[in-house]
Amino acid sequence: MWLFYTDRMNETLLELKNISKRYGKQQALTDVSFAIKKGHIYGFVGENGAGKTTTLRIITGLSKQTSGTVEYSLNGNKKPGCMIEGPVFDGFLNAAENLKLHAMLYGVKDFSNIPQVLERTGLGNVGNKKVRNFSMGMKQRLGIAAAMISNPELLILDEPVNGLDPLGMIAVRKLLSSLNKDDGITILLSSHILSELQELATDYIFISGGKILNCVSAADVLAGGQSLEQYYLGLFSEGQNE
């Protein structure tokens, strides 16, 4: 069930209410609930198989929940921009041509902002270079560019630094921070690289075994000088013992 709102209530852009997902006899998600507030960067943290990608696929409409609701309060009833399970492109086309294809998938008919989006994501000088010749970092930035093509208010990103070297991770981190601070884009991203999330996120959502363990601000996570990794390990251990 999808509900869309035009009024902005308490600056909540997205709220999940008791989302559950079952694949046959397998329970992937159980009563997942959390809210995404405007202007924040949320780190979505959990082990492999915790339910992160399933949750993000439901949020973006790529999968349907068994029960529960996803409620949006986005300007113009827009859907969020998303990059789920890695960007997919036609390697024989250049960056601008690929963005045109993604724009059409989003129902965007005006392609005039493509040069601006490429420039914003550090790809303004790639010209006619085919995507098959891009580095992994360039492909990840193009994936973020594709997610931005509809000028979204909210970005949903699944492992945006996956497979990148340290310099590539830093470049993507700086890009996302700039999109948030300079462009006012709210971001929800999953990542296994906790050190990168600690540098970027303002809030965290922790999930394990398809259930939410905690939703907490970065300030509370890092209180007392502990790291995100230390907090997560403690929280995960508590969850396992319940």
Side-chain angles (χ1 to χ4, degrees):
M1 181 178 180
W2 291 77
L3 300 176
F4 292 92
Y5 296 89
T6 54
D7 293 333
R8 308 185 70 82
M9 299 177 64
N10 300 319
E11 297 299 308
T12 297
L13 298 185
L14 165 69
E15 186 169 7
L16 275 64
K17 294 184 177 181
N18 303 114
I19 294 293
S20 293
K21 176 68 176 180
R22 179 180 288 274
Y23 297 100
K25 295 182 179 180
Q26 179 187 0
Q27 188 73 31
L29 299 175
T30 303
D31 291 330
V32 168
S33 299
F34 60 80
I36 300 299
K37 302 288 186 178
K38 181 177 175 60
H40 294 238
I41 300 178
Y42 290 84
F44 198 24
V45 184
E47 75 279 9
N48 286 335
K52 299 188 302 298
T53 297
T54 299
T55 302
L56 297 183
R57 287 178 59 83
I58 289 171
I59 289 173
T60 55
L62 296 175
S63 182
K64 183 175 177 59
Q65 64 269 32
T66 305
S67 61
T69 59
V70 180
E71 302 179 357
Y72 281 110
S73 180
L74 300 174
N75 281 330
N77 289 346
K78 286 185 178 181
K79 290 185 178 181
C82 65
M83 184 178 77
I84 307 295
E85 297 180 311
V88 178
F89 299 109
D90 187 327
F92 293 93
L93 300 179
N94 62 33
E97 291 166 340
N98 269 287
L99 288 190
K100 286 182 181 179
L101 291 178
H102 279 265
M104 288 187 284
L105 289 173
Y106 272 99
V108 177
K109 299 178 181 179
D110 182 1
F111 306 142
S112 61
N113 71 327
I114 287 178
Q116 178 184 354
V117 171
L118 287 172
E119 186 69 33
R120 190 71 184 83
T121 52
L123 296 171
N125 61 350
V126 297
N128 288 318
K129 185 175 183 177
K130 306 300 182 187
V131 169
R132 63 179 179 175
N133 297 318
F134 278 19
S135 67
M136 178 65 74
M138 293 171 69
K139 288 178 180 177
Q140 291 295 90
R141 291 200 298 274
L142 186 58
I144 296 170
M148 292 173 54
I149 200 65
S150 62
N151 191 30
E153 196 174 3
L154 172 64
L155 276 180
I156 311 290
L157 305 175
D158 189 17
E159 301 288 348
V161 297
N162 190 35
L164 300 185
D165 61 25
L167 289 178
M169 286 191 285
I170 291 170
V172 169
R173 184 215 310 158
K174 289 182 176 179
L175 169 61
L176 296 180
S177 179
S178 177
L179 291 175
N180 175 254
K181 293 178 180 178
D182 300 333
D183 296 59
I185 297 176
T186 304
I187 301 172
L188 169 62
L189 71 152
S190 71
S191 179
H192 288 108
I193 305 174
L194 300 186
S195 59
E196 280 299 304
L197 279 182
Q198 183 170 320
E199 294 288 334
L200 185 63
T202 62
D203 301 85
Y204 297 100
I205 301 164
F206 296 93
I207 187 170
S208 181
K211 299 179 180 180
I212 297 298
L213 296 179
N214 201 9
C215 300
V216 62
S217 71
D220 287 340
V221 165
L222 304 177
Q226 69 179 338
S227 68
L228 172 59
E229 179 178 323
Q230 290 170 325
Y231 182 92
Y232 172 63
L233 289 175
L235 187 64
F236 182 76
S237 297
E238 290 176 10
Q240 293 293 94
N241 292 329
E242 290 181 354

